[in-house]
Amino acid sequence: MANKLNTLNKTNRWNYITYLLVIIAYVILQVMSSTGSISSSLKGMLVPICAYVVMAVSLNLTVGVLGELSLGHAGFMSVGAFTGVTAAVSLQNLIPFAPLRLAVSMVVAALFAALAGFLIGIPVLRLKGDYLAIVTLAFGEIIKSIFNNLYVGLDESGFHFSLLSDTTDLSENGTLIIGGPMGIGSIQKISTFTAGFILVMITLVVVFHLVNSRAGRAIMAIRDNRIAAESVGLNITKYKMMAFVTSAALAGSAGALFAMNYSTIVANKFDFNTSILVLVFVVLGGLGNMLGSIIAAAALTILPEALREFSDYRMLVYAIVLILVMLATNNPTLKSFLARLKPGKRGEKEAA
Amino acid sequence: MKKKFLSLMLAMTMVLGLAACGGQEESTGDTSGETADNTASEAPAEGTAFKLGGTGPLTGGAAIYGNAAYRGAQIAVDEINAEGGAIQFDLRYEDDQHDAEKAVNAYNILKDWGMQISLGSVTSKPCEATAAETYADRIFALTPSASSTATTEGKDNMFQMCFMDPNQGSASALYISEKGLGSKIAIIWKNDDVYSKGIHDTFVDEAAALGLEIVSDTTFADGNDTDFSVQLTDAQNNGADLVFLPMYYQPASLILSQASAKGYAPKWFGVDGMDGILTMEGFDPALAEGVMLLTPFNADATDDKTVAFVTEYQERYGETPNQFAADAYDCVYAYKQALEAAGATPDMSAEELCELMIQQFTSMTFNGLTGENMTWDATGAVSKSPKGMVIENGAYVGLD
């Protein structure tokens, strides 16, 4: 009993360290950018880093905590990006205050992504392992195809939808928001680093609280031994769905944040490669290790830019660095060294 | 175990060392595509040359366009610097992998470098993203080849060297109708591609206005762009005598060979993306015999400028330049002309140059490889006339 309490405290302590590190990083970067001492290259990457961090942490909930391999996480990001921007465009006159509009559209994005996650979850969560991975992969591709063929316009009489070709038939004052393969253009760039930071913090609070709650322990019990969990009366579908939908919703708001940092967004951006990229963040950072995901997401977003001096060889160097980091983090000596430093050992078994 | 760890660390340092060497070697080697660093050392000292930057897909699926534009611009810059006139350039291209996110990253790298005037981005979507940045930062941009309308829309300092997509569509329809090339037209286009869609939409509108009959309108997308039997059968069954292919040349080459395999021989009509098909590896140029296309640049033209450029390009890179290279080459010379006329000096800030360039580009007339008497309007669109070409005996011949 005493031991159990002790671990719990250690876990909590570790969570607080994560919060603290994120806040410190934010404050340092904010001070540096206000004094103009960071390069515009790094400054331009701050918002995407926040979006990728949220993506990685939320995928870690599915992969690390729930223990199901999802290869379609970019699909939820896509749903969030498109619905979020649509919401932001339609609320432009209603809410002139940009940060509030951003917040509202991120909430809308999260809701739609959660809905998508729920619908996908019904068939997908009946599957296990490889099958689940393949179905989520297919789902990501379906989302991409849908947004590549979807046209959404807005005029006085409300929203107009059409598929395959543009038959939205808008009035003169109407605007075509989503233009099929053209994606969304002329997006107002309202995403800010502060908004990204707040989203990261919210994500961490949500994920940590979920993991440390009764439901979270049920989710981890399902991961560790499904049959045992079922035999003690846990509702497998309910808990799986809880983790999956939460993960989808967070990815959706990350998508909205990401999309509104660029003036244009296309569905092809959120393809299989993006899903894998986020999965790499998660695996590299350690399954179930949120701080690891954050560091990996930030480092691997900056790395390709930092390697630009290698010009044509930079993706090769990037791959080599990835392999070396993987080898290094799986090195037994280093691992035992890290284990001594690290109080909580959640997810370590899965990682092995 | 410690040994293992140590060897791993050693391996890591070695690889990094190697990679670093690779980087250095590359920047001193000249013959291949990578000469940006080299130029920087050749070019006049800091503050005496205009810093000209651009992003393009130098790696990845669209690398052929990015590299072509980069090489074209490089040749122009080297020529101008060798002349030793008042206007000197320092060119730097960064890779954007045909992705808006990476393009913005690349743009920020260029901004840190101190870019004064920009060549935008080579492909449309990335250029749309960087155009928003150049607009916000007041850096003048002239893109060689980003042809979508959204690139220049609402931005007073963003100009194009190529035709806008819609113009190509309507020009093609007009051309087909004027010359009476076909009465029943089939279109095969790529429905997840901005370029293809832009041309398709205006072509269909213009065709309707001109009374051209479109009997078949079929699509393909990324991922299912290798088998065109459905699209070709549809065109054939509907009796199309001309097939319009608004797309880049890779899918077009497959369409041509698959049509030939099934014995379907309509007239083929392409747009500027078709340019490059003759030099494509593994493609039999005989299949492209009789294909018509609208393109602003003809590598077989015999005027001095084109001949000099094509020879130089072939010498350096061992291939025939396409219109992306020619457009980028023209961009650099257009900049030279504008900077000279404005009396600009390299110590001016990007903002000052931006204002001067807007004035110059809206008022000047430019003669280049891709057209005579080019002018720009305030929206940033160029006005030049496309040349109709037909492929005969493996070479372009003017259609008029």
Side-chain angles (χ1 to χ4, degrees):
Chain A
M1 194 64 195
N3 187 28
K4 203 175 173 188
L5 264 176
N6 201 20
T7 15
L8 196 70
N9 284 340
K10 272 183 178 171
T11 317
N12 271 339
R13 203 195 310 155
W14 196 244
N15 293 351
Y16 287 125
I17 292 175
T18 308
Y19 290 137
L20 197 67
L21 286 178
V22 172
I23 293 172
I24 291 173
Y26 169 74
V27 171
I28 292 177
L29 285 168
Q30 198 67 326
V31 168
M32 280 174 75
S33 85
S34 61
T35 54
S37 50
I38 58 172
S39 63
S40 37
S41 163
L42 182 61
K43 211 170 169 181
M45 279 189 283
L46 292 176
V47 176
I49 286 173
C50 288
Y52 283 129
V53 163
V54 175
M55 287 296 288
V57 170
S58 62
L59 184 64
N60 211 338
L61 186 61
T62 310
V63 180
V65 179
L66 178 61
E68 298 289 7
L69 185 59
S70 165
L71 296 179
H73 210 51
F76 299 120
M77 194 182 184
S78 182
V79 172
F82 281 86
T83 51
V85 175
T86 309
V89 172
S90 36
L91 291 173
Q92 204 146 341
N93 298 326
L94 224 59
I95 311 175
F97 184 55
L100 181 63
R101 190 162 76 237
L102 179 67
V104 171
S105 51
M106 285 203 287
V107 170
V108 171
L111 289 178
F112 272 96
L115 180 69
F118 179 72
L119 294 177
I120 302 303
I122 296 170
V124 160
L125 293 177
R126 289 165 193 275
L127 304 167
K128 275 185 281 191
D130 306 349
Y131 301 102
L132 184 124
I134 290 168
V135 173
T136 48
L137 168 74
F139 155 72
E141 293 299 302
I142 291 172
I143 292 283
K144 192 180 96 180
S145 291
I146 290 177
F147 282 117
N148 256 331
N149 288 293
L150 179 71
Y151 294 80
V152 176
L154 176 69
D155 62 9
E156 305 83 46
S157 51
F159 283 107
H160 297 253
F161 298 91
S162 74
L163 264 181
L164 291 174
S165 63
D166 184 10
T167 50
T168 44
D169 203 22
L170 296 169
S171 72
E172 266 179 28
N173 305 322
T175 45
L176 188 67
I177 301 174
I178 303 177
M182 313 247 201
I184 308 182
S186 320
I187 301 171
Q188 279 201 344
K189 294 170 49 172
I190 53 176
S191 289
T192 56
F193 181 43
T194 306
F197 163 72
I198 293 171
L199 185 63
V200 171
M201 289 306 281
I202 292 174
T203 306
L204 287 175
V205 169
V206 168
V207 171
F208 283 149
H209 276 85
L210 180 62
V211 172
N212 289 338
S213 70
R214 190 188 156 86
R217 283 192 292 278
I219 291 168
M220 283 185 280
I222 294 168
R223 173 192 72 191
D224 292 337
N225 193 328
R226 185 193 156 106
I227 297 169
E230 211 165 8
S231 73
V232 296
L234 288 180
N235 185 344
I236 303 276
T237 319
K238 179 182 144 193
Y239 287 115
K240 271 189 163 184
M241 193 63 106
M242 197 182 275
F244 197 69
V245 169
T246 310
S247 161
L250 292 172
S253 47
L257 177 78
F258 183 85
M260 278 179 274
N261 185 48
Y262 296 101
S263 60
T264 171
I265 203 86
V266 285
N268 282 352
K269 172 72 200 166
F270 307 105
D271 62 356
F272 177 59
N273 289 338
T274 310
S275 296
I276 294 295
L277 184 70
V278 178
L279 190 63
V280 168
F281 298 157
V282 171
V283 175
L284 200 66
L287 294 176
N289 182 351
M290 300 306 162
L291 182 60
S293 293
I294 296 173
I295 295 171
L300 290 190
T301 311
I302 297 174
L303 189 62
E305 298 309 315
L307 291 175
R308 271 195 189 269
E309 55 183 301
F310 298 124
S311 65
D312 288 356
Y313 297 101
R314 94 192 141 100
M315 288 329 272
L316 185 69
V317 177
Y318 176 79
I320 293 171
V321 170
L322 262 191
I323 294 170
L324 290 179
V325 171
M326 280 288 183
L327 286 176
T329 49
N330 272 323
N331 184 285
T333 320
L334 199 67
K335 237 177 171 176
S336 60
F337 174 69
L338 281 177
R340 253 178 284 145
L341 279 184
K342 189 174 140 188
K345 293 198 286 186
R346 284 164 303 111
E348 278 301 312
K349 260 176 280 168
E350 281 291 306
Chain B
M1 247 170 224
K2 260 184 187 158
K3 228 177 189 173
K4 223 174 176 180
F5 181 64
L6 195 72
S7 56
L8 191 70
M9 281 300 159
L10 273 176
M12 202 182 286
T13 30
M14 262 168 68
V15 169
L16 281 179
L18 268 178
C21 290
Q24 277 160 12
E25 255 166 38
E26 208 194 359
S27 55
T28 46
D30 188 8
T31 44
S32 68
E34 186 52 51
T35 42
D37 296 346
N38 193 35
T39 328
S41 56
E42 256 177 25
E46 188 79 7
T48 57
F50 291 97
K51 288 191 166 178
L52 181 61
T55 83
L58 304 181
T59 60
I64 193 163
Y65 310 116
N67 281 317
Y70 174 30
R71 290 166 179 178
Q74 186 67 54
I75 290 179
V77 165
D78 289 349
E79 282 176 10
I80 292 169
N81 287 350
E83 264 173 32
I87 306 288
Q88 299 278 299
F89 287 110
D90 192 353
L91 176 73
R92 178 162 169 188
Y93 250 87
E94 283 294 337
D95 186 16
D96 65 20
Q97 293 169 311
H98 187 33
D99 178 290
E101 182 197 350
K102 305 235 167 58
V104 172
N105 287 344
Y107 166 79
N108 280 324
I109 297 260
L110 291 170
K111 208 171 106 184
D112 286 335
W113 171 63
M115 173 171 66
Q116 289 165 298
I117 40 179
S118 166
L119 288 171
S121 301
V122 172
T123 41
S124 286
K125 267 290 157 186
C127 197
E128 233 181 287
T130 53
E133 303 294 324
T134 46
Y135 180 65
D137 293 332
R138 301 310 295 164
I139 296 176
F140 186 85
L142 172 67
T143 169
S145 50
S147 49
S148 76
T149 343
T151 309
T152 52
E153 217 167 43
K155 296 158 198 122
D156 62 343
N157 61 346
M158 183 76 217
F159 286 70
Q160 286 167 320
M161 179 55 78
C162 56
F163 299 115
M164 270 202 285
D165 296 338
N167 294 354
Q168 287 209 52
S170 48
S172 300
L174 200 63
Y175 201 87
I176 291 171
S177 142
E178 271 178 5
K179 308 275 170 189
L181 295 173
S183 54
K184 291 184 163 185
I185 295 167
I187 310 175
I188 303 177
W189 58 288
K190 188 171 179 190
N191 68 353
D192 63 351
D193 184 47
V194 184
Y195 172 75
S196 195
K197 185 182 160 45
I199 300 175
H200 165 267
D201 288 359
T202 45
F203 182 86
V204 171
D205 290 347
E206 187 72 21
L210 294 166
L212 291 171
E213 191 190 353
I214 293 171
V215 292
S216 163
D217 188 344
T218 50
T219 62
F220 63 97
D222 238 357
N224 62 350
D225 51 1
T226 48
D227 180 20
F228 294 96
S229 50
V230 176
Q231 292 89 332
L232 287 169
T233 311
D234 189 70
Q236 196 171 19
N237 289 348
N238 288 307
D241 55 7
L242 185 142
V243 181
F244 181 54
L245 304 175
M247 61 183 75
Y248 289 121
Y249 62 84
Q250 297 97 328
S253 69
L254 293 171
I255 291 178
L256 291 177
S257 62
Q258 286 170 21
S260 138
K262 64 190 296 213
Y264 178 44
K267 284 180 184 165
W268 301 100
F269 200 94
V271 281
D272 62 2
M274 187 84 102
D275 185 29
I277 195 164
L278 291 174
T279 48
M280 191 180 161
E281 263 175 56
F283 179 73
D284 177 10
L287 288 172
E289 203 63 11
V291 171
M292 290 168 280
L293 66 155
L294 282 188
T295 171
F297 173 67
N298 172 10
D300 292 324
T302 50
D303 60 294
D304 293 345
K305 260 193 279 185
T306 310
V307 172
F309 173 65
V310 172
T311 325
E312 176 68 25
Y313 195 95
Q314 276 169 335
E315 236 166 61
R316 280 199 199 192
Y317 308 112
E319 60 187 38
T320 312
N322 57 17
Q323 55 129 352
F324 288 83
D327 277 330
Y329 182 88
D330 275 358
C331 279
V332 176
Y333 271 98
Y335 265 138
K336 178 175 183 259
Q337 186 182 330
L339 289 167
E340 266 169 3
T345 50
D347 54 5
M348 285 181 171
S349 71
E351 233 161 290
E352 289 165 338
L353 286 173
C354 180
E355 294 314 313
L356 290 175
M357 289 297 103
I358 293 174
Q359 282 171 17
Q360 286 300 322
F361 271 85
T362 44
S363 60
M364 73 179 198
T365 307
F366 175 69
N367 294 324
L369 295 176
T370 61
E372 299 287 309
N373 301 324
M374 289 183 226
T375 54
W376 284 266
D377 59 23
T379 65
V382 68
S383 145
K384 58 182 178 185
S385 51
K387 298 172 189 161
M389 297 284 165
V390 63
I391 296 175
E392 269 174 25
N393 301 322
Y396 292 144
V397 177
L399 246 182
D400 304 304

